[in-house]
Amino acid sequence: MDGPVAITGMGMVTAQGVGVEATWRGVVAGRDMLSYWRGAPEGLALSRVKVAQCVGINELPRPEDLPPRLWTKLSRTQQLVCVAGDEAIA
């Protein structure tokens, strides 16, 4: 790919918060979001990991364009991608 690339939107869901602004505020404030690993989420084999942080957001904001029934069927990873993607599109 030799042509120019344009970034037209950004979206983030991190341990610092939901959204680019919330994440940036957490980084600038110097919030330490690392903690001792309390066991891998189902399906992950990270036995050598000692310190990590999972996104500690229990309730993610469901994008308005996703029906509630579909939202509940998505995995946690798919929900995180939908929220970040929705912010990037906005």
Side-chain angles (χ1 to χ4, degrees), residues 12-80:
M12 299 175 87
V13 180
T14 69
Q16 297 287 354
V18 176
V20 173
E21 285 187 35
T23 298
W24 183 245
R25 281 194 307 270
V27 170
V28 170
R31 284 193 300 228
D32 182 4
M33 301 307 291
L34 294 179
S35 61
Y36 287 101
W37 189 254
R38 288 179 174 59
E42 188 176 325
L44 290 180
L46 300 173
S47 60
R48 295 186 301 177
V49 174
K50 301 295 182 209
V51 177
Q53 178 62 42
C54 291
V55 176
I57 302 160
N58 294 328
E59 286 292 322
L60 290 170
R62 179 183 54 83
E64 292 179 13
D65 58 339
L66 277 177
R69 189 170 175 196
L70 173 59
W71 180 250
T72 58
K73 291 183 179 186
L74 296 176
S75 70
R76 175 75 169 173
T77 302
Q78 290 169 324
Q79 290 178 345
L80 292 167

